[in-house]
Amino acid sequence: MYSKEQITKIRQLINNYFDKGEVFDKLKKKIESEKIQIDDLDNEKLTKLLRETNLIDNLILDIKHLDEIDEFNKQNKQLTFIDPDRINYRSVSLRIYKGRAFLDFIEPENSKLQLYLSFCGQRFVSAIVDASVEPEFNELFLFDLRTETQKANVDLLTLSKLDHPIELSVIQIQNGQRKLFSQKLIEWRFLLCYGNISLNIELPTTYNTKMQNERKNHVGILQIHLELLPKTGLVLLPENIVVSQLSKEKSVINQISDRFHTYGNAWWNDFKELKLSVRPIKLYSESQDGIWRPSCTFIRELQSVRGIMSPNHAARFVSLIPMKTSDRGPSGDRLEVWHRFPTFLALKGGDFEDHCLLLCSFFLGFNLDAFVVFGSTTDRPHGWVMTRLQKPKKPNQKQAEYAYNFWEPLTGHKFELNDPKVPQLYKRIGCIFNNKCFYANIQENDSVLRTDLNIEDYTKWKAIDPIEIQLLKPQNFQLNLLRQTIHADELEPKLELQLREAIGSYRKIINLATRYDEKLGSIMQIALANYETEKITGLQFAQFEFQSAIRSYIPEGHTFMSFPICFNHMNIQKMLEDIKTSPVGGEVLTARGDQTYHAVRVKMEIYPEDIYAVWVSVSVRFHKIV
């Protein structure tokens, strides 16, 4: 049965359908071909003509498409909503049924699985399911085939040239940790020939699953069904057109790859002739699919990303994505794998390279002159992002002058070049690059303090020809961030209660009683509201009001102490350990005296992709006993 809203939509659909000129044109041609007089046309003959011209059948297919959109919206109501008006636009329906032969999960050990899909900037995520040999996904996804520049229907021949596969990532979740179980690029364009396809997709091994069993080629099979919608008015393409297009694309990619490989080898040989000290030159990097690709192709100018309002917001967002040190291979060496942006976000963590690439791409989208800097700290490889701002030119000045800033992607901090912290954080510079250029440092001294950052000076920097980079196919595409699904007002009270219980248990072990002051906690909310804003803007507010409230509330002769700290996780025991090991935090937790009262307050700031900052304030007021 249909609801009132669905019936209204169906009526509107029928009206729109018969308002189309092509419907009446087809009907008129049929009447003329049958030589039927208008006066002889009754309801029975009209219905027969409508059926013979498939007009009713096509209308029924559109109504079924409307059902599919409603089903999609019910399944994905927290993430993405598809306007029923899309009934008239080309889209791909991807239904994922179940997995087979997931042999890693014969003994699942409380593992979970989740699917992430990306296509032309559109991103979707499935529900989390139990891992098993045959996991049940049963998900429906709809991808819009309209391009960014053309918001109307695109003809099938044009769509056959859309070289953008559907990217599928299978994420394994175990003990709160995420890893890439498998990933697959799904070529959908044969839909333009057949209208619908059912496939059993073999999921290949990744750098994670290869380490567990090097003899395996795949880790499971996924049953899927693809369909081109709407089904009305479809004139499908001959298969040879799509086959030819795919062959041309592969040929072009191979030619460009071979050309860059030849150029890169000659460039590298010239670089080695300089006989410089060993330094990190990242001309190529290993991608998540195990293929070595030019490093410039991992950076993309990300424009108009909803939820990221400024470069400062971008730096804060990226810094809150947890740092996860890369795995070690069988030989003990670090597996340096660069992920595509959707995979990095699906994993909710990555090494410093992933943070650098995403932050630089955000900055480029804000039209900043931004670069990834690859070098080292005192004891290990490291990367950060550099932006340069052109200074106003003086009279008769020919060469531009720049002010340089270094951005640490793991903390979001920005440093001017003359900041005394710079040489403490960064030691050497090997290369600088973005999506359009690549420069290797050929200065005798590659220390941060001695390196001249004027990358246009060919006596100090060896450049890759920008034309060679321009020909390369980028690894990342335009990005849309998933909306948040967690809510601060629900989580803050729970975290506060759990922290209170944890602190009470800890103080009980050291023979101290714990009492809480609700009003003091309320006052601390003023300070907590300030911290995240200060992180992004560098500005403070309500400082006078907070200090005044504390002074008037703490009794004369009493001591007040407070310890604020920020986390990007919700693990209570880890929080408590970090507070205990801090000199001030440990003193607050172990405070003793007369009339001792503690306060715990939690403030969460939630960003897209369910990336969040958890600000915790632990405070105490007491009268010292001499």
Side-chain angles (χ1 to χ4, degrees):
M1 294 293 293
Y2 288 102
S3 66
K4 289 183 178 180
E5 291 81 3
Q6 287 175 315
I7 291 172
T8 301
K9 290 176 187 175
I10 291 171
R11 283 175 177 167
Q12 184 180 358
L13 180 68
I14 293 171
N15 289 333
N16 293 341
Y17 185 75
F18 282 105
D19 279 344
K20 294 178 183 177
E22 62 182 26
V23 174
F24 289 103
D25 288 342
K26 287 181 180 179
L27 191 58
K28 183 180 178 182
K29 288 179 181 178
K30 184 67 176 175
I31 292 172
E32 290 174 351
S33 66
E34 296 287 333
K35 297 181 179 179
I36 300 174
Q37 298 296 320
I38 298 298
D39 295 338
D40 298 333
L41 194 62
D42 54 20
N43 287 340
E44 184 178 344
K45 288 181 180 179
L46 181 59
T47 303
K48 182 182 177 182
L49 289 172
L50 288 170
R51 289 195 177 279
E52 288 176 353
T53 52
N54 294 322
L55 292 175
I56 289 182
D57 292 339
N58 288 340
L59 178 59
I60 292 171
L61 288 175
D62 276 355
I63 292 172
K64 287 182 179 179
H65 183 196
L66 186 64
D67 288 341
E68 289 177 325
I69 287 179
D70 285 339
E71 180 186 348
F72 177 88
N73 286 333
K74 287 175 184 177
Q75 288 183 9
N76 297 273
K77 58 185 177 182
Q78 292 181 317
L79 296 174
T80 305
F81 178 79
I82 290 186
D83 192 324
D85 285 343
R86 260 186 54 180
I87 188 96
N88 298 313
Y89 300 127
R90 289 276 175 259
S91 57
V92 170
S93 162
L94 170 59
R95 192 178 289 273
I96 300 178
Y97 295 105
K98 63 186 294 186
R100 292 193 291 111
F102 280 52
L103 300 181
D104 290 56
F105 304 116
I106 293 176
E107 296 178 0
E109 299 179 349
N110 298 319
S111 285
K112 305 285 185 181
L113 294 173
Q114 190 171 26
L115 305 177
Y116 282 79
L117 293 101
S118 176
F119 175 73
C120 290
Q122 304 162 72
R123 295 181 56 237
F124 302 109
V125 58
S126 76
I128 297 174
V129 303
D130 292 328
S132 65
V133 177
E134 294 189 349
E136 296 281 352
F137 293 107
N138 295 322
E139 293 277 359
L140 173 68
F141 304 97
L142 289 176
F143 297 100
D144 198 332
L145 288 178
R146 291 175 294 166
T147 63
E148 287 293 318
T149 56
Q150 191 172 3
K151 287 301 182 183
N153 257 344
V154 186
D155 65 273
L156 299 194
L157 188 60
T158 300
L159 288 175
S160 71
K161 299 173 184 175
L162 181 57
D163 181 15
H164 198 318
I166 297 172
E167 182 177 341
L168 167 70
S169 297
V170 184
I171 304 298
Q172 180 183 351
I173 308 168
Q174 188 171 21
N175 300 324
Q177 299 297 313
R178 290 171 167 255
K179 73 175 184 180
L180 182 62
F181 181 70
S182 185
Q183 56 92 34
K184 182 77 174 181
L185 299 178
I186 302 172
E187 181 53 70
W188 57 273
R189 282 178 284 180
F190 283 103
L191 278 178
L192 306 176
C193 311
Y194 303 110
N196 66 87
I197 305 172
S198 292
L199 297 172
N200 289 322
I201 293 179
E202 285 192 353
L203 297 174
T205 54
T206 66
Y207 57 91
N208 279 315
T209 45
K210 275 181 181 175
M211 285 195 298
Q212 298 169 9
N213 189 342
E214 293 186 359
R215 291 174 295 179
K216 290 195 300 184
N217 292 320
H218 67 273
V219 293
I221 295 171
L222 211 55
Q223 297 176 335
I224 71 170
H225 181 76
L226 292 156
E227 193 160 7
L228 190 62
L229 299 173
K231 302 171 186 177
T232 58
L234 268 182
V235 179
L236 298 173
L237 299 178
E239 183 179 334
N240 67 295
I241 289 181
V242 173
V243 171
S244 175
Q245 178 64 28
L246 295 176
S247 177
K248 287 177 185 176
E249 290 171 0
K250 186 176 180 180
S251 176
V252 169
I253 290 172
N254 289 340
Q255 289 175 24
I256 292 173
S257 298
D258 291 344
R259 170 174 168 161
F260 190 83
H261 181 71
T262 302
Y263 174 88
N265 279 342
W267 182 93
W268 179 246
N269 289 332
D270 289 343
F271 178 82
K272 288 192 295 184
E273 288 295 320
L274 299 173
K275 294 183 170 31
L276 298 166
S277 59
V278 177
R279 55 193 63 183
I281 307 297
K282 301 298 296 181
L283 185 57
Y284 279 87
S285 300
E286 186 177 7
S287 65
Q288 64 190 53
D289 50 14
I291 299 174
W292 288 81
R293 305 181 188 277
S295 298
C296 294
T297 63
F298 289 88
I299 299 177
R300 172 77 182 223
E301 186 177 313
L302 296 177
Q303 297 179 357
S304 304
V305 180
R306 299 290 181 185
I308 306 297
M309 285 77 75
S310 71
N312 295 66
H313 285 89
R316 182 60 176 157
F317 173 77
V318 173
S319 72
L320 289 171
I321 302 174
M323 162 69 175
K324 295 182 180 178
T325 305
S326 299
D327 294 321
R328 299 280 174 178
S331 63
D333 295 332
R334 174 173 168 264
L335 292 174
E336 187 183 317
V337 176
W338 293 16
H339 298 96
R340 285 188 283 271
F341 297 151
T343 307
F344 174 40
L345 294 170
L347 290 170
K348 298 190 184 300
D351 217 325
F352 69 85
E353 296 97 340
D354 295 321
H355 289 78
C356 285
L357 298 170
L358 182 57
L359 182 57
C360 183
S361 297
F362 278 137
F363 283 176
L364 291 171
F366 286 110
N367 203 37
L368 296 184
D369 203 9
F371 309 83
V372 169
V373 181
F374 206 91
S376 65
T377 59
T378 51
D379 58 349
R380 64 185 185 278
H382 190 57
W384 58 98
V385 175
M386 179 183 81
T387 56
R388 62 178 191 174
L389 306 174
Q390 186 172 345
K391 297 179 180 179
K393 282 189 175 183
K394 300 173 184 177
N396 301 322
Q397 179 185 339
K398 294 182 179 180
Q399 190 173 4
E401 292 184 0
Y402 296 94
Y404 298 92
N405 291 319
F406 287 170
W407 298 72
E408 175 51 55
L410 301 181
T411 64
H413 293 152
K414 179 177 71 171
F415 305 97
E416 294 182 359
L417 199 56
N418 58 0
D419 192 310
K421 293 180 182 177
V422 166
Q424 298 172 19
L425 293 169
Y426 312 118
K427 296 299 179 184
R428 302 169 62 212
I429 295 178
C431 60
I432 293 176
F433 62 94
N434 61 22
N435 59 324
K436 295 180 180 178
C437 61
F438 185 98
Y439 299 93
N441 186 358
I442 58 173
Q443 297 165 67
E444 194 67 34
N445 191 329
D446 64 347
S447 68
V448 170
L449 288 178
R450 295 293 187 89
T451 297
D452 185 343
L453 295 175
N454 180 16
I455 52 180
E456 280 82 13
D457 187 343
Y458 68 90
T459 65
K460 298 175 180 178
W461 295 90
K462 182 172 176 58
I464 293 285
D465 187 344
I467 295 176
E468 299 294 333
I469 296 174
Q470 187 178 353
L471 294 173
L472 297 171
K473 180 181 178 182
Q475 289 304 296
N476 282 299
F477 299 91
Q478 187 57 36
L479 182 70
N480 285 333
L481 300 178
L482 296 175
R483 291 188 323 196
Q484 64 187 58
T485 62
I486 58 177
H487 304 285
D489 56 350
E490 297 175 0
L491 292 170
E492 288 170 352
K494 294 178 182 178
L495 291 172
E496 281 181 14
L497 180 60
Q498 292 171 358
L499 273 170
R500 285 186 178 195
E501 292 173 350
I503 291 170
S505 298
Y506 170 66
R507 285 176 58 84
K508 187 175 182 180
I509 292 172
I510 56 178
N511 298 315
L512 292 174
T514 308
R515 292 179 293 178
Y516 288 100
D517 184 338
E518 298 296 338
K519 188 168 184 179
L520 179 58
S522 179
I523 295 172
M524 294 310 301
Q525 182 73 21
I526 303 173
L528 281 179
N530 200 9
Y531 294 141
E532 188 68 14
T533 302
E534 186 180 0
K535 273 283 185 183
I536 296 172
T537 65
L539 302 175
Q540 296 181 342
F541 65 91
Q543 285 291 95
F544 176 79
E545 289 81 359
F546 170 67
Q547 293 168 3
S548 177
I550 288 294
R551 279 195 300 267
S552 63
Y553 184 69
I554 303 300
E556 187 175 348
H558 284 229
T559 298
F560 166 74
M561 298 176 66
S562 179
F563 177 65
I565 187 171
C566 184
F567 302 98
N568 60 359
H569 61 80
M570 289 186 273
N571 187 313
I572 297 298
Q573 289 306 314
K574 285 184 179 179
M575 290 181 180
L576 185 62
E577 285 301 315
D578 284 346
I579 297 170
K580 284 163 54 179
T581 54
S582 167
V584 177
E587 199 173 342
V588 170
L589 292 182
T590 57
R592 64 179 71 205
D594 188 26
Q595 301 180 48
T596 301
Y597 287 91
H598 282 80
V600 175
R601 198 69 174 181
V602 173
K603 179 76 173 72
M604 289 188 71
E605 294 290 341
I606 302 176
Y607 293 85
E609 300 284 336
D610 287 342
I611 299 298
Y612 51 81
V614 182
W615 284 98
V616 175
S617 171
V618 182
S619 309
V620 64
R621 65 173 179 88
F622 61 100
H623 186 270
K624 284 186 177 180
I625 300 176
V626 181

